[in-house]
């Protein structure tokens, strides 16, 4: 196996300068996967780069940690030795290529600390990989467009049980651990819950010793960095890679060709081949993911994109046409520039589809290469599903299905029947949404142009599905059959196969009347029409002449996921029922055994132990040990002490410490001073109409309006002091969401500067919300809002994090709220709003003009329109809550319907908070009841029920 230093030395910013040192640390993971010919000959070779160090900068090697190849004992012995850790940090500080040799400031300290930790990770990482290879066990692969990792340093040293040693070592070097940790930028590889869930899963997979890898894309800029200005939200490019990423290792020897465009031809052997077009190369970047209190370290492989050097047009460059010379390089690199590029334009849609295919193609080629390597000389393809499980996180990786089929048939020479059986037994799909716009549909025309061979395969899958539907339902009830085909087909607005289409052709009516007589009558009638033509007939004629718009031909990706996979799972009990009874009801009736529920979870390591150390110490004390971090069932022990005054006193003290941290943070980031004595009321998540930040801010406007109508004494008696905190990003092209952000910030400016109100009410929008901000806000939270329209939030995971940290939720019966309320107790959850089964009827009532809004809701709308919060025109935003139906109107998300229930529930919140003993008891019972929502439990269920994999623990 090749040495690790070869790959590292070529990384530049991420590598270790001394090849001899890095060779001594460990060996290269999967170094044998050097060549691959799944599409065509790999064009990406690489040359090892040597680094030369000036003699005066030469370190004292006796201080370095030296480990024999394949032996981690030196690192193990240094774990509790702060002196040894300090020497390792100093070593990397001296040889870190991204920083000049002078000084040891915080950025350099962070980078050197991270690299020293990476040494430990690589040792365990290689041992993990080698065990997987040796055991040839079944391995799962988790494909996701997002991995919202957050900062890695504190998580890594915590999982490796090195927090104490690193804290002491950095103190010796003149820095505090928390200051060094704060230097790490959040990896901009995700947006919200989808990516954060994927990252929680990786932590649990490593902790539980399951053989699973993650696959994603290495976005250069991620989504965007959010600025809050007088105009509202503004977006700028994220700079998370500006100083390099010390956690990743570029694998220049692991690269795969990816093709776009071109054409499909039939060879002399009768096989279909995809030729020509645009060729790029996907290069692996590996990020080690350590488990907690285990040596198991799994891999997150992120793909970057480039072109072979041969594609650089040197002649064009030398002739002065620099743009043309770099065109192919630019086209390749932009695939991994940003997460979710705007898709209003054809170019944007094309780029998104390229991203999705790159993830699927590169990952599957890598998976297949590893399968073949493990199989040796005798590759038995029917055993592929017994060694490989592929999980598609939402519909973004749907192209895994036709891509796996293409490779098996066109490259490996397997028959359609066998390839389809292998694919269906390998792939599984997690559904994350019931929103129609989020169930992806791609233009068939665009896909035909970009991925012509895949469209052929999708058409064949669709035809097989159509034949299966006809076989199941028969031809006797054509109306039922047509309904089933319309609902279940993968191709939308595409002609049925001829043999099926003819079933629905109605025979033309024939008449016994002589056609010549008909012609005479017809001519006579036409003369009369010319003489007596009316305006009405003219209008009818013109209407008949208007061309009927041709609906676009589309590929329904969610349907393809259901058809091509062996399991479809929802992510909360109520969501999974909606998936079965509504979203995919026809499929559920067709394949009932395919559908499962896997309620989401979050890792208790990051979301209690590391982000809330003060509360963690209390939990450890009262539950009798720290094993709750691995076995969250132990949290239920807190129930026995919920009324204990000593516990309550300690619990409140921990909460106050966290609130003081947040108050300081808000002052620094926003300029607003808030009182730690007020209730901290928080809603942080992606800004979207269905998540109803609008309901929250209108409730605050109502509260403010009521306050302004009272005397100071009345205000103090009526209202509990609150700090209302918002955070989250509105997608750059989502105008209504950006209007909501603008309203929140405008309300904040007015309320926070009103001397009549003072500390009784504050409204703060935290800019650029991310994982690190969440780790600060969630431990300080006292009330958290999860108020989506019932039936529209698949699960949510932030609700779980808040509950774990002793925060009480106000919410609807939506997503995981339902299960959280069951676990923590109905008395410890503030419930309001319509139920999921009522929503369709309420929308129908609205469309029929029968809805009568609450007078308080009408007052609030007019108050916003009055200009009290500034001169911005809110007619578009408030107008969306009015009317009965129509795009952007008719209050589709039922803000007006739930408003009365919401503000009345908020009055109950105020009342409960005044009784601090009662509130603290509720807080303790929320933490105690959150044990179910550990991602460890979720991962055990995936491993058992979907992937059929077993844990493998390093000795």
């Amino acid at each position: 196996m090749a040495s690790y230093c070869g790959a590292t030395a070529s990384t530049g910013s991420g590598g270790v300068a001394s090849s001899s040192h890095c060779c001594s640390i460990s060996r290269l993971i999967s170094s044998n996967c050097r060549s691959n010919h799944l599409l065509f000959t790999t064009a990406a070779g690489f040359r090892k780069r040597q680094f030369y160090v000036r003699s005066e900068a030469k370190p004292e090697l006796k201080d370095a940690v030296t480990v024999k190849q394949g032996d981690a004992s030196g690192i193990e012995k240094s774990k509790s030795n702060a002196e040894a850790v300090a020497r390792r940090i100093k070593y990397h500080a001296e040889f870190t290529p991204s920083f000049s040799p002078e000084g040891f400031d915080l950025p350099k300290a962070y980078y050197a600390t991270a690299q020293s930790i990476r040494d430990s990770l690589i040792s365990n990482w290689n041992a993990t990989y080698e065990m997987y290879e040796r055991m040839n066990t079944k391995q799962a692969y988790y494909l996701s467009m997002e991995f919202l990792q957050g900062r890695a340093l504190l998580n890594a040293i915590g999982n490796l049980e090195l927090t104490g040693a690193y804290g002491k070592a950095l103190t010796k070097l003149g820095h505090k651990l928390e200051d060094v940790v704060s230097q790490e930028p959040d990896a901009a590889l995700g947006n919200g819950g989808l990516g954060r869930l994927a990252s929680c899963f990786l932590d649990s997979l490593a902790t539980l010793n399951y053989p699973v890898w993650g696959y994603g894309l290495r976005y250069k800029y991620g989504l965007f960095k959010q600025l809050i200005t007088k105009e509202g939200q503004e977006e700028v490019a994220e700079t998370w890679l500006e100083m390099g990423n010390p956690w990743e290792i570029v694998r220049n020897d692991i690269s795969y060709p990816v093709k776009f465009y071109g054409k499909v031809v039939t060879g002399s052997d009768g096989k279909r081949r995809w030729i020509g077009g645009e060729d790029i190369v996907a290069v692996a970047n590996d990020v080690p993911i350590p488990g907690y209190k285990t040596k198991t370290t799994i891999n997150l492989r992120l793909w970057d994109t480039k072109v072979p050097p041969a594609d650089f047009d040197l002649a064009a460059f030398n002739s002065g046409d620099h743009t043309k010379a770099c065109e192919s390089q630019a086209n390749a690199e932009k695939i991994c520039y940003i997460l979710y590029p705007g898709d209003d334009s054809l170019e944007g849609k094309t780029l998104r589809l390229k991203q999705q295919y790159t993830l699927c193609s590169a990952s599957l080629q890598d998976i297949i290469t590893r399968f073949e390597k493990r199989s040796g000389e005798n590759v038995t393809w029917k055993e592929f599903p017994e060694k490989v499980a592929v999980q598609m996180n939402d519909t973004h990786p749907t192209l895994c299905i036709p891509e796996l089929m293409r490779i098996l048939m066109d490259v490996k020479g397997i028959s359609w029947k066998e390839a389809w059986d292998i694919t269906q037994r390998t792939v599984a799909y997690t559904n994350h949404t019931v929103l129609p716009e989020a169930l992806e549909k791609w233009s068939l025309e665009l896909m035909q142009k970009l991925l012509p061979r895949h469209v052929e395969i999708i058409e064949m899958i669709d035809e097989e599905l159509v034949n299966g539907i006809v076989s199941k339902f028969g031809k006797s009830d054509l109306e039922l059959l047509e309904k089933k085909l319309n609902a279940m087909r993968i191709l939308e607005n595409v002609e049925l196969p001829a043999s099926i289409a003819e079933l629905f052709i109605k025979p033309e009516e024939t008449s016994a009347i002589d056609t010549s007589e008909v012609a005479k009558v017809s001519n006579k009638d036409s003369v009369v029409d010319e003489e007596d033509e009316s305006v009405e007939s003219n209008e009818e004629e013109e209407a008949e002449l208007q061309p009927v718009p041709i609906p676009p031909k589309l590929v329904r990706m969610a349907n393809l996921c259901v058809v091509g996979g062996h399991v479809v799972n929802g992510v909360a009990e109520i969501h999974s029922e909606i998936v079965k009874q509504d979203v995919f009801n026809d499929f559920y009736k067709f394949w009932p055994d395919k559908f499962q529920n896997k309620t989401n979870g979050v890792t208790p390591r990051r979301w209690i132990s590391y982000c809330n150390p003060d509360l963690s110490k209390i939990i450890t004390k009262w539950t009798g040990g720290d094993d709750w971090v691995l076995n969250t069932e132990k949290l239920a022990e807190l129930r026995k002490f919920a009324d204990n005054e000593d516990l309550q006193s300690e619990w409140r003290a921990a909460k106050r410490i966290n609130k003081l941290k947040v108050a300081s943070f808000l002052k620094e980031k926003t300029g607003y001073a808030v009182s730690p004595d007020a209730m901290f009321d928080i809603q942080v998540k992606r800004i979207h109409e269905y998540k109803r930040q609008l309901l929250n801010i209108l409730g605050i406007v109502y509260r403010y309006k009521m306050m302004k109508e009272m005397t100071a004494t009345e205000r103090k008696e009526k209202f509990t002091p609150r700090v209302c905190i918002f955070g989250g990003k509105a997608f750059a092209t989502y105008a209504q969401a950006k209007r909501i952000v603008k309203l929140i910030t405008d309300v904040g400016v007015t309320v926070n500067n009103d001397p009549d109100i003072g500390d009784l009410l504050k409204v703060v929008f935290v800019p650029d919300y991310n994982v690190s901000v969440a780790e600060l806000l969630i431990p300080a939270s006292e009330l958290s809002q999860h108020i989506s329209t019932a039936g529209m939030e698949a699960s949510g995971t932030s609700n779980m994090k808040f509950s774990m940290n002793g925060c009480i939720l106000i919410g609807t019966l939506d997503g995981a709220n339902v299960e959280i309320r069951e676990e923590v107790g109905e008395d410890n959850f503030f419930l309001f709003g319509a139920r999921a089964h009522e929503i369709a009827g309420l929308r129908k009532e609205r469309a029929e003009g029968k809805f009568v809004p609450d007078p308080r809701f009408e007052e609030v709308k007019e108050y916003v329109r009055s200009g009290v919060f500034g001169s911005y025109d809110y007619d578009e935003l408030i107008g969306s809550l009015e009317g009965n139906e129509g795009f952007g109107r008719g209050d589709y998300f039922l803000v007006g319907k739930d408003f009365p229930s919401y503000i009345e529930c908020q009055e109950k919140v105020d009342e409960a908070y005044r009784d601090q003993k009662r509130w603290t008891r509720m807080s303790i019972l929320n933490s105690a009841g959150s044990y179910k929502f550990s991602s460890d439990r979720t991962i055990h269920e995936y491993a058992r029920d979907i992937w059929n994999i077993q844990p493998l623990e390093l000795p």
Side-chain angles (χ1 to χ4, degrees), residues 20-94:
S20 62
H21 173 69
C22 73
C23 282
S24 73
I25 294 173
S26 61
R27 291 170 284 171
L28 171 67
I29 289 184
S30 59
S31 60
N32 292 334
C33 301
R34 290 179 182 247
S35 60
N36 10 147
H37 305 281
L38 294 178
L39 272 169
F40 46 85
T41 304
T42 303
F46 78 97
R47 181 164 51 92
K48 292 182 180 179
R49 191 184 309 166
Q50 292 181 332
F51 291 100
Y52 296 93
V53 183
R54 297 193 306 272
S55 58
E56 62 267 28
K58 186 175 180 180
E60 295 182 31
L61 294 178
K62 64 182 180 180
D63 284 344
V65 177
T66 55
V67 185
K68 293 180 181 179
Q69 196 165 354
D71 175 21
S73 59
I75 291 173
E76 289 296 318
K77 289 175 183 176
S78 74
K79 273 191 173 183
S80 59
N81 189 332
E83 292 287 349
V85 169
R87 287 196 297 271
R88 290 163 60 191
I89 294 172
K90 286 170 66 178
Y91 179 87
H92 283 290
E94 193 167 359

Side-chain angles (χ1 to χ4, degrees), residues 118-137:
R118 195 181 67 174
D119 291 350
S120 299
L121 296 185
I122 289 169
S123 178
N124 290 340
W125 193 16
N126 285 336
T128 304
Y129 174 81
E130 288 172 4
M131 181 175 64
Y132 293 169
E133 292 290 286
R134 184 176 66 256
M135 300 294 291
N136 192 19
T137 186

